[in-house]
Amino acid sequence: MAITRLGGANAITGTIPQGNIANASLGAVTALPAAITTGDVLQVVSANKTNSFTTTSTSFSDVTGLSVSITPSSSSNKILILVTLYMSAEASPLQAKLFRGESTELQFVQDYAVAANDYATGSSVNMSILDTPSTTSATTYKVQIASSNNGNNAKVNGRWDSGSADIGDSTITVMEIAG
Amino acid sequence: MIEKAILKINPNAEFTINANDIDQITWLNGTTPIPKADIESKMAELPTAEEEAAQRENEKASGKQKLKDLGLTDAEIKALTGA
């Protein structure tokens, strides 16, 4: 016998299978219920580097210890990346890049604040960007640096002519933001 | 100190060093790796950071004295050198 009338507001209960929900019908939704918020910080992952890293190459190299992996809980969520890099260099400018994975360059910074051949000078290089990786797979963010001239030192956390990490501790922090 | 020693041996060497650790050197762009013993031997020949700092102070004092001997006043020397 065909159903001709549903009785009461709670006559149908349960879970609608995911396959029965069409994207086309969801596309017509123009606003989320007030209970669903956006902008919340859902998780935070951070790495702190306390020792030095030196390069003498103009080719960009991964800074050991300055990478993090985060797994977004939804592909619509965003990732806010904050990097504070303490650097010095034998030749100006300081150069740093921020990558998602191995090949997606998100940011490139050149800091001309450090005078060439000033052994005592260091500087903080800051990078921040709101990324949309559009995935729920583990995603890695990493920092690379390079020297401005081959054979000249560029160093993280220390003065370029010093073996020690005497400028500061560099950090990379990523936050998943509800989309 | 490690990077100075390497660059004394090969001024064109391209490499990275992590944690100032001689066992964490990565040679880049075809640079021929330098044996650890050679790097350590060269490091022993280099002046320490303290010795380099003392040398810089001596050179500063010597240069200042030479300017004075030429007849410059302390104010003029400070204006020229900032010290």
Side-chain angles (χ1 to χ4, degrees):
Chain A
M1 184 175 71
I3 297 174
T4 55
R5 187 170 69 90
L6 296 175
N10 300 318
I12 298 174
T13 62
T15 302
I16 302 172
Q18 188 174 353
N20 292 1
I21 303 173
N23 285 338
S25 60
L26 290 175
V29 176
T30 57
L32 295 172
I36 300 176
T37 57
T38 59
D40 283 0
V41 176
L42 304 178
Q43 58 173 319
V44 179
V45 183
S46 185
N48 186 38
K49 182 172 178 63
T50 58
N51 52 31
S52 65
F53 179 87
T54 303
T55 182
T56 63
S57 176
T58 54
S59 301
F60 279 83
S61 298
D62 292 356
V63 178
T64 307
L66 275 184
S67 69
V68 291
S69 180
I70 189 169
T71 304
S73 55
S74 166
S75 60
S76 63
N77 290 346
K78 299 182 184 309
I79 304 294
L80 176 63
I81 307 115
L82 305 170
V83 176
T84 298
L85 200 58
Y86 293 98
M87 277 189 77
S88 67
E90 195 171 0
S92 190
L94 306 175
Q95 298 187 110
K97 286 183 176 181
L98 173 63
F99 274 83
R100 183 207 312 132
E102 289 301 314
S103 57
T104 304
E105 182 182 317
L106 300 177
Q107 206 161 23
F108 175 31
V109 174
Q110 289 183 300
D111 182 346
Y112 287 85
V114 177
N117 298 320
D118 187 347
Y119 74 96
T121 306
S123 185
S124 63
V125 175
N126 299 294
M127 294 186 280
S128 60
I129 194 166
L130 189 61
D131 185 34
T132 308
S134 301
T135 183
T136 54
S137 299
T139 303
T140 300
Y141 293 92
K142 66 180 182 179
V143 175
Q144 294 188 338
I145 66 164
S147 173
S148 296
N149 291 314
N150 276 333
N152 285 165
N153 291 313
K155 181 170 283 189
V156 169
N157 286 356
R159 289 174 296 161
W160 67 261
D161 71 339
S162 163
S164 59
D166 52 5
I167 296 179
D169 294 344
S170 297
T171 59
I172 179 171
T173 301
V174 296
M175 304 179 191
E176 182 185 4
I177 309 294
Chain B
M1 186 67 90
I2 299 171
E3 54 267 32
K4 282 182 187 174
I6 293 171
L7 291 171
K8 284 281 183 188
I9 297 168
N10 176 4
N12 298 315
E14 293 184 46
F15 57 92
T16 65
I17 305 172
N18 186 52
N20 198 35
D21 183 347
I22 200 167
D23 292 318
Q24 294 190 55
I25 298 172
T26 302
W27 304 99
L28 304 173
N29 296 333
T31 298
T32 302
I34 299 170
K36 185 176 164 182
D38 291 359
I39 298 170
E40 289 172 331
S41 173
K42 184 59 70 177
M43 286 171 67
E45 298 173 10
L46 295 174
T48 64
E50 290 77 17
E51 288 169 341
E52 285 188 337
Q55 185 181 347
R56 280 195 294 270
E57 285 304 312
N58 288 339
E59 287 170 350
K60 193 186 291 182
S62 169
K64 193 173 177 180
Q65 186 57 51
K66 285 175 181 168
L67 290 173
K68 271 189 168 183
D69 293 343
L70 289 171
L72 276 71
T73 65
D74 285 340
E76 288 169 332
I77 293 170
K78 187 172 184 181
L80 282 173
T81 65

